[in-house]
C-alpha cells in the first residue's frame, strides 16, 4: 500500500534495505528508504499499528481473522555539525609531566581544555603548545560528536518505540476490513468504503484529512517536514 503510494507520488528514490519472509511466503518484516520532496510530510501519518480484518483462503468456515502490522516512519539522522563556541571552553596551559627531560619540566606546553556546558575535559601533553591546542580541540570535537550522536540515536529509538508501541491491536491507528471493503482511520474517525483503491496506494484522501485535522495528538507529536530525506520504514506482521 505505502509502496504503491510512493510510486504514484514519484519520489526520487525507493530502496529496500532489508526484508524477511514469513513461513507462509509473505513478508514478516521490511525496511526501506524513500527519498524525495516532502516525503516525510506525506508518510509520517502511517506510523502506528494497522489492523487487518480478512477471511483467509484457508478459512473454510468463512470466519474473519484479525492481524496487525506495526509501522515506524523515521527521518534519516542528518550529519551532526559540532559548533564549539569560544565562550564555551576554558583553555589552561601547564607543564607537561612524564619522560622528556629538561624541556618537559620547564615549558608550559601541555594544554587542558574544559568544555563548560558538558564538563568534558581533554588534555594534550606533547612538546608544542600549538599542536597540543589543535590536538585537544580535535579530541574534544570527537567526544562531543559522539555524545550528540548517542543522544540522536536515543531520540530516534524512543521515537520508533512510541510509534510502534507494543504492537497490540488496541493501539491501532487504522483498520482495513476486507469483507466490507472498508478502511477506518481511528485517529479522526474517518471511514471510507474504497479499500481497493487505498490498498493500491490511493492515500491522498486519508492523509489530507489527517493533515487538516487540528489538535489531534498524533500530528502534534510529529510536526516535522522533510525535503529530500532518507526515510527508514519498518513493517512487522503479527
Amino acid at each position: 500500500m505505502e509502496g504503491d503510494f510512493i510510486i504514484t507520488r514519484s519520489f526520487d528514490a525507493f530502496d529496500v534495505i532489508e526484508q524477511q519472509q514469513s513461513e507462509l511466503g509473505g513478508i514478516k518484516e521490511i525496511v526501506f528508504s524513500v527519498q524525495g520532496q516532502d516525503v516525510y510530510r506525506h508518510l509520517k501519518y502511517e506510523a502506528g499499528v494497522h489492523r487487518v480484518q480478512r477471511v483467509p483462503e484457508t478459512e473454510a468456515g468463512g470466519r474473519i481473522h484479525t492481524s496487525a502490522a506495526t509501522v515506524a516512519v523515521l527521518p534519516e539522522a542528518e550529519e551532526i555539525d559540532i559548533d564549539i563556541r569560544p565562550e564555551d571552553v576554558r583553555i589552561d596551559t601547564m607543564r607537561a609531566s612524564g619522560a622528556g627531560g629538561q624541556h618537559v619540566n620547564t615549558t608550559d606546553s601541555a594544554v587542558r581544555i574544559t568544555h563548560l556546558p558538558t564538563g568534558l575535559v581533554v588534555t594534550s601533553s606533547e612538546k608544542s603548545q600549538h599542536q597540543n591546542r589543535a590536538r585537544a580541540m580535535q579530541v574534544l570535537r570527537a567526544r562531543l560528536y559522539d555524545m550528540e550522536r548517542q543522544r540522536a540515536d536515543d531520540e530516534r529509538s524512543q521515537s520508533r518505540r512510541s510509534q510502534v508501541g507494543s504492537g497490540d491491536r488496541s493501539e491501532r491507528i487504522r483498520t482495513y476490513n476486507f469483507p466490507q471493503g472498508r478502511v477506518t482511520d481511528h485517529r479522526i474517525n474517518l471511514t471510507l468504503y474504497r479499500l481497493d483503491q487505498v490498498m493500491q496506494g490511493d492515500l491522498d484522501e486519508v492523509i489530507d484529512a489527517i493533515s487538516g485535522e487540528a489538535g489531534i495528538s498524533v500530528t502534534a507529536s510529529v510536526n516535522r517536514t522533510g525535503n529530500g530525506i532518507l526515510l527508514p520504514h519498518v513493517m512487522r506482521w503479527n
Side-chain angles (χ1 to χ4, degrees):
M1 178 182 65
E2 280 90 354
D4 289 334
F5 174 75
I6 291 166
I7 293 173
T8 60
R9 282 286 176 174
S10 299
F11 289 129
D12 296 339
F14 171 76
D15 298 304
V16 175
I17 299 174
E18 181 182 359
Q19 180 172 312
Q20 296 182 20
Q21 300 290 330
S22 69
E23 296 178 355
L24 299 178
I27 297 177
K28 180 179 181 181
E29 179 176 354
I30 183 170
V31 181
F32 59 84
S33 66
V34 187
Q35 188 173 3
Q37 180 75 19
D38 292 335
V39 60
Y40 184 69
R41 179 171 66 85
H42 285 103
L43 290 178
K44 62 182 179 181
Y45 303 111
E46 297 305 293
V49 178
H50 296 243
R51 184 176 67 172
V52 179
Q53 296 175 322
R54 69 199 189 283
V55 179
E57 296 180 358
T58 56
E59 174 55 57
R63 290 176 299 179
I64 296 177
H65 289 220
T66 300
S67 59
T70 55
V71 177
V73 183
L74 304 172
E76 182 188 40
E78 298 178 356
E79 184 68 23
I80 300 171
D81 184 22
I82 300 299
D83 180 25
I84 302 177
R85 300 183 302 174
E87 60 268 28
D88 287 342
V89 297
R90 184 180 71 241
I91 301 178
D92 302 310
T93 58
M94 66 199 84
R95 292 188 179 182
S97 60
Q102 184 179 4
H103 175 82
V104 173
N105 296 323
T106 61
T107 305
D108 292 335
S109 61
V111 172
R112 178 177 63 205
I113 298 180
T114 303
H115 187 249
L116 301 176
T118 62
L120 280 177
V121 178
V122 296
T123 60
S124 182
S125 305
E126 300 299 324
K127 293 182 179 181
S128 168
Q129 185 180 119
H130 178 72
Q131 290 180 355
N132 285 335
R133 280 175 177 260
R135 183 172 287 110
M137 285 298 295
Q138 183 179 18
V139 172
L140 177 61
R141 186 179 301 276
R143 291 185 179 178
L144 289 173
Y145 177 90
D146 186 65
M147 288 179 60
E148 184 62 20
R149 180 189 57 79
Q150 184 61 50
R151 185 201 62 78
D153 289 346
D154 292 344
E155 185 179 274
R156 284 168 56 82
S157 296
Q158 179 60 37
S159 175
R160 185 186 182 281
R161 285 194 297 268
S162 66
Q163 289 181 23
V164 172
S166 65
D168 190 87
R169 296 164 193 166
S170 63
E171 299 175 343
R172 66 189 183 279
I173 64 167
R174 194 177 297 153
T175 294
Y176 308 86
N177 187 298
F178 281 82
Q180 298 178 8
R182 169 178 60 85
V183 56
T184 298
D185 196 293
H186 302 285
R187 295 166 292 186
I188 56 174
N189 295 320
L190 173 68
T191 295
L192 302 173
Y193 288 91
R194 45 194 302 271
L195 180 59
D196 289 344
Q197 293 93 319
V198 170
M199 296 305 297
Q200 292 173 6
D202 187 359
L203 291 168
D204 287 337
E205 186 173 357
V206 178
I207 291 176
D208 290 344
I210 298 175
S211 300
E213 184 72 15
I216 59 175
S217 60
V218 65
T219 55
S221 63
V222 289
N223 188 22
R224 294 179 60 186
T225 59
N227 296 325
I229 60 175
L230 187 70
L231 181 71
H233 186 102
V234 182
M235 179 178 295
R236 282 190 175 90
W237 291 92
N238 298 322

